[in-house]
Amino acid sequence: MAEKATLIVGDQRIELPVIVGSEGERAVDITTLRQQTGLVTFDPSLGNTAVCKSEITFVDGERGILRYRGIPIEQFTNKPNFVEVAWLLIFGHLPSRDELTEFSHQLTDNELLHEGLKHQFQHIPVDAPPMAILSAMLNNLACFHQEFLAVEDVESLTAAAARLISKVRTIAAFSYRRSQGLPLIYPDPNLRYCANLLHMMFSLPYRQYIVSPEVEDALNLVFILHADHEQNCSTSTVRTVGSARANLFASCAAGVSALWGPLHGGANVEVVRMLERIHEGGLSAEECIRLAKDKESGFRLFGFGHRVYKNYDPRAKILQGTCERVLGSLNRRDPLLDIARKLEELALQDPYFVERRLYPNVDFYSGILLRAMGIPTDMFTVCFAIGRLPGWIAQWKEQHEDADSRIIRPRQVYTGPNQADYVPIDQR
Ligand code: CMC
């Protein structure tokens, strides 16, 4: 018999269904609670609320497990390319050779920006934050591709997804070039996904940037590791905007805005700034730990802690090893990696971090890896966004295919003044 939860409020006793996920996670279904009792639930940051059923990504924060469509993240570290993973997330299965070839062609065919959109880069201040540009330009795609304002079937979803996944890379590279006052470099249809981004960022007219296989592989891995992470802040934002039936471009642009925040994707920038401060002698590692523990300081140990992981984030583990490998293969040393290791060691021995189960998250080592590839700090969160885009699209698609999906509209507990009268301005 299906499990039920019993809730007793005053002299009322009601039964609520318990839903069980495919990995055994149990959730009390409270959708009829208000109707039955007049009560709502109070969970301000939704830390204890499942907002949807999803088949895309599984995270077990206690055991440090992450799987895309059932496949453990560790299995993505060698073979697949990012485009394959994007397809897996969006369409629910690994692509056949034909599907992958066809989708890759769609990406290549859509890598250019409309000239009208391209010209807009000239009007952006050179020092504009790339995340602001990315969000604005993704939203702007809706002006140039109005045929996708309503996505009615899987063909048009695929075409819209291909445009987004391909053009995000061009937009990202153009925003970097703009910030450097350099001429925009067009995409090269002969290059693979990651190599093409690096080419658009770093080639000069008549001087092609030679992409090293180590750097290309590492960027591919960074994108894969960021590709989805179930109902995180930016994905929930995409779903919230999408729940109003806003178009895919607008929904993903909103996701970029959420991701920009330093508690979310912006943490990869903050981590490197913090490590640089320590390296330059402005702060010692010990002082950094002390400040992070002091609630009055307003300082956090960036790249540490997670709402869901109460164990080592599996992505951080993979990135740490990759940092060492890539730096080794490029014959480089980065003192920031040594500082990061020391900070990690100090934190993992400190009762504050141990008791709260705060471990390195994906952002702790990703910045060091991106630095090793020559990616400037300003572009770290943009790289996170490029990686996360397939996840946002997959979640948006799943939401739109769910017949039970309704507009997301939470309740509140009002704590403001009781009814009051308007006072004319001359009587105040
Ligand atoms: N430094 C110091 N204290 C921390 C940290 C940290 N990085 N993270 C959590 N805590 C403390 C927090 O103050 C709380 O203390 P207390 O119990 O005394 O009030 C306790 O640990 C539990 O925090 P929590 O409820 O687990 O945290 P949360 O779920 O509200 O926030 C977080 C999660 C990721 C925003 C937070 O850990 C944080 O601010 N980390 C630093 C920023 C960061 O690295 N963000 C990237 C997150 S992972 C990838 C992504 O989403 O982009």
Side-chain angles (χ1 to χ4, degrees):
M1 212 175 67
E3 190 184 2
K4 297 226 183 278
T6 306
L7 179 71
I8 302 169
V9 188
D11 54 7
Q12 195 182 8
R13 181 190 177 92
I14 63 159
E15 293 211 316
L16 297 165
V18 173
I19 303 174
V20 186
S22 53
E23 288 290 336
E25 190 157 42
R26 291 148 77 227
V28 180
D29 176 353
I30 52 122
T31 45
T32 62
L33 179 69
R34 188 165 179 278
Q35 190 191 332
Q36 291 196 64
T37 64
L39 293 171
V40 292
T41 53
F42 183 65
D43 184 18
S45 53
L46 302 181
N48 209 46
T49 297
V51 291
C52 60
K53 291 182 192 165
S54 179
E55 298 178 0
I56 302 169
T57 292
F58 173 67
V59 177
D60 181 332
E62 296 298 320
R63 292 189 291 157
I65 292 174
L66 168 61
R67 297 183 198 139
Y68 294 158
R69 300 281 186 185
I71 305 173
I73 194 68
E74 292 75 13
Q75 292 188 22
F76 292 98
T77 49
N78 290 324
K79 296 193 182 66
N81 71 40
F82 173 61
V83 176
E84 214 178 334
V85 174
W87 179 280
L88 168 73
L89 289 169
I90 298 171
F91 299 105
H93 62 270
L94 287 166
S96 66
R97 200 174 289 279
D98 284 352
E99 284 169 332
L100 186 58
T101 306
E102 166 63 22
F103 193 54
S104 300
H105 284 153
Q106 274 185 284
L107 295 184
T108 305
D109 291 346
N110 288 291
E111 58 193 9
L112 283 173
L113 301 185
H114 188 286
E115 283 292 295
L117 188 61
K118 195 195 86 179
H119 286 310
Q120 292 183 17
F121 283 86
Q122 301 311 325
H123 304 290
I124 294 170
V126 274
D127 56 353
M131 285 297 273
I133 304 175
L134 188 65
S135 177
M137 292 295 180
L138 286 189
N139 218 351
N140 252 338
L141 285 177
C143 307
F144 292 91
H145 302 281
Q146 296 186 28
E147 68 275 29
F148 299 112
L149 291 184
V151 170
E152 307 288 359
D153 50 37
V154 77
E155 283 74 31
S156 103
L157 183 279
T158 311
R163 275 159 185 77
L164 266 168
I165 294 173
S166 188
K167 291 180 195 301
V168 71
R169 194 179 38 164
T170 316
I171 293 171
F174 282 11
S175 65
Y176 171 64
R177 303 292 295 199
R178 175 74 186 138
S179 73
Q180 300 298 299
L182 289 168
L184 304 182
I185 298 286
Y186 284 104
D188 178 345
N190 299 310
L191 293 176
R192 284 190 296 263
Y193 191 87
C194 295
N196 211 349
L197 170 64
L198 294 163
H199 153 70
M200 285 189 277
M201 283 181 74
F202 300 126
S203 284
L204 291 171
Y206 305 108
R207 200 195 305 159
Q208 177 93 12
Y209 168 84
I210 308 297
V211 180
S212 93
E214 289 84 10
V215 169
E216 186 183 356
D217 286 355
L219 190 57
N220 181 59
L221 179 65
V222 167
F223 287 161
I224 291 175
L225 293 179
H226 288 87
D228 193 50
H229 210 247
E230 49 119 306
Q231 307 312 315
N232 57 84
C233 178
S234 55
T235 303
S236 303
T237 304
V238 170
R239 277 190 179 254
T240 301
V241 176
S243 80
R245 297 288 177 258
N247 66 76
L248 184 60
F249 301 120
S251 304
C252 291
V256 172
S257 300
L259 189 73
W260 191 3
L263 295 190
H264 192 11
N268 56 15
V269 172
E270 300 301 329
V271 170
V272 166
R273 287 200 183 126
M274 177 178 81
L275 298 175
E276 277 171 345
R277 240 180 103 192
I278 298 174
H279 180 55
E280 286 155 12
L283 184 75
S284 70
E286 289 76 9
E287 178 71 356
C288 190
I289 297 288
R290 194 192 63 71
L291 282 172
K293 296 191 290 183
D294 175 5
K295 303 276 184 216
E296 303 294 303
S297 71
F299 182 87
R300 291 215 149 188
L301 187 59
F302 285 99
F304 255 75
H306 198 277
R307 174 62 59 82
V308 180
Y309 289 120
K310 301 300 163 199
N311 203 326
Y312 216 106
D313 180 335
R315 302 166 299 176
K317 209 177 277 176
I318 296 169
L319 283 168
Q320 188 196 39
T322 311
C323 276
E324 282 162 20
R325 219 181 42 247
V326 170
L327 283 166
S329 70
L330 297 175
N331 240 337
R332 275 195 216 144
R333 268 205 70 224
D334 187 346
L336 298 200
L337 179 58
D338 300 330
I339 298 171
R341 279 211 217 90
K342 173 154 189 210
L343 266 180
E344 177 183 335
E345 201 185 309
L346 288 173
L348 295 183
Q349 287 168 2
D350 191 296
Y352 175 96
F353 292 88
V354 174
E355 281 157 20
R356 288 168 178 77
R357 303 174 73 193
L358 304 172
Y359 290 87
N361 61 48
V362 68
D363 293 313
F364 197 63
Y365 287 104
S366 64
I368 300 174
L369 183 54
L370 290 166
R371 253 166 75 93
M373 293 179 223
I375 308 280
T377 313
D378 258 7
M379 294 296 287
F380 290 177
T381 317
V382 172
C383 288
F384 192 153
I386 298 174
R388 183 56 53 88
L389 193 58
W392 291 336
I393 296 170
Q395 301 270 349
W396 190 94
K397 174 174 178 281
E398 185 177 67
Q399 177 184 42
H400 281 68
E401 288 171 351
D402 178 358
D404 294 334
S405 152
R406 298 165 73 201
I407 189 163
I408 295 177
R409 201 308 183 184
R411 297 273 176 173
Q412 65 168 14
V413 176
Y414 176 69
T415 56
N418 295 118
Q419 184 173 333
D421 288 323
Y422 172 79
V423 180
I425 196 159
D426 53 357
Q427 292 170 31
R428 284 174 222 159

